[in-house]
Amino acid sequence: MKIAVCIKRVPDMESRFKIAGDGASVDEAGLKFTISDFDEWAVEYALQVKEKQGSGEVVVVSLGPDTVQETIRKALAMGADRGIQLKADKIPFDGLAIARALAAELQGGGYDLILFGKVAVDSSNGVTGVMVAELLNLPVVTSVSKLEIANGRGIAERALEGAIEVVEFPLPAVLTVDQGLVAQARYPALKGIMAAKKKPLEVKPAQLGQPQVAVSKMELPAERAAGRIIGEGAGAVPELVRLLQHEAKVL
């Protein structure tokens, strides 16, 4: 089975963010970057499928400047076979522009499965995988939390609020991966890190077209108000009740 996994380089969400001088982007100085969580689980699932079948190929694809090569190399260190960088000066916010570049690369690649994380943890748009499927005229199942592949078909489960939805589909197909499809992603071992340096990583220009959506302004949320200690033990209860009543009247 030949599987493509589209991954995105994102900042560590535990970082303290600052707005860049243009007022419309994040200042990347000092930030640590990694693979988006859902994308990493997609890579792990692809590797597990290959290991279970004993053959196949896992190809990781990422769009962006040369800094995304570090992200691709991490996926190669996990066990992916080769990587493709679709080179662009920066990653646009427009999901359709990204989808067009990815679809242009994936078209005719002979992939049985094309995997995405269900959402990038930085932009939270969650649209690129679905758009790629539409551009390639392939079936798509989103937010997959359980998956079985056999005899050219797949059966996927999607976790809904209070229910499980089961979807059957033919291959080839595009899937977006939710938490739960794998227990956790593997950590690259030293042997894998060394091997990744020798694995092929092809660089191609991204066929983005003209993005139609852009971020015009970005603001940090307001700082939280400082907490107050109103006392200790049972003696603090009356004052706490009074404050809660006051807050309720204000709201």
Side-chain angles (χ1 to χ4, degrees):
M1 182 173 285
K2 187 176 182 181
I3 305 174
V5 187
C6 299
I7 63 175
K8 186 179 182 183
R9 175 182 180 264
V10 299
D12 185 333
M13 291 294 106
E14 298 299 320
S15 303
R16 188 171 182 83
F17 293 95
K18 295 185 294 183
I19 305 300
D22 62 4
S25 61
V26 172
D27 185 354
E28 296 189 0
L31 289 182
K32 178 182 177 183
F33 286 81
T34 187
I35 303 174
S36 184
D37 291 348
F38 294 98
D39 297 352
E40 194 168 28
W41 296 328
V43 173
E44 176 62 31
Y45 178 77
L47 296 174
Q48 289 184 12
V49 170
K50 178 186 172 182
E51 290 164 357
K52 183 178 180 180
Q53 295 186 348
S55 62
E57 184 183 31
V58 176
V59 182
V60 291
V61 184
S62 190
L63 182 148
D66 288 340
T67 49
V68 303
Q69 292 187 16
E70 180 183 1
T71 307
I72 295 172
R73 290 291 181 195
K74 180 178 179 181
L76 296 178
M78 290 172 67
D81 298 289
R82 60 186 176 92
I84 299 172
Q85 175 196 358
L86 302 180
K87 189 167 183 176
D89 293 336
K90 63 179 181 178
I91 301 173
F93 185 78
D94 187 350
L96 181 56
I98 297 171
R100 283 174 174 152
L102 292 172
E105 171 58 33
L106 297 166
Q107 180 75 53
Y111 297 104
D112 301 290
L113 278 178
I114 299 173
L115 303 180
F116 291 79
K118 76 166 187 176
V119 64
V121 297
D122 58 347
S123 60
S124 294
N125 284 331
V127 298
T128 305
V130 177
M131 289 178 170
V132 168
E134 176 65 20
L135 292 169
L136 295 178
N137 195 30
L138 292 176
V140 59
V141 184
T142 60
S143 302
V144 175
S145 57
K146 187 175 181 180
L147 181 62
E148 294 181 7
I149 300 291
N151 302 318
R153 300 190 69 82
I155 299 177
E157 290 188 5
R158 304 174 68 248
L160 308 179
E161 187 172 351
I164 298 293
E165 182 178 73
V166 180
V167 182
E168 186 174 355
F169 57 91
L171 300 183
V174 176
L175 307 177
T176 72
V177 171
D178 199 355
Q179 187 174 11
L181 185 59
V182 296
Q184 64 180 27
R186 67 193 68 186
Y187 291 101
L190 179 59
K191 181 179 179 180
I193 294 171
M194 298 305 293
K197 296 179 180 180
K198 299 179 181 179
K199 290 181 178 179
L201 197 168
E202 189 175 1
V203 180
K204 303 179 180 181
Q207 300 180 40
L208 285 169
Q210 184 61 42
Q212 300 297 307
V213 180
V215 177
S216 60
K217 185 178 181 181
M218 187 176 289
E219 296 179 352
L220 292 173
E223 293 287 341
R224 289 184 179 181
R228 289 183 293 169
I229 298 176
I230 61 172
E232 296 182 4
V237 173
E239 177 64 8
L240 177 60
V241 170
R242 186 190 69 78
L243 289 171
L244 290 174
Q245 289 174 338
H246 175 72
E247 293 293 334
K249 289 178 181 179
V250 171
L251 294 174

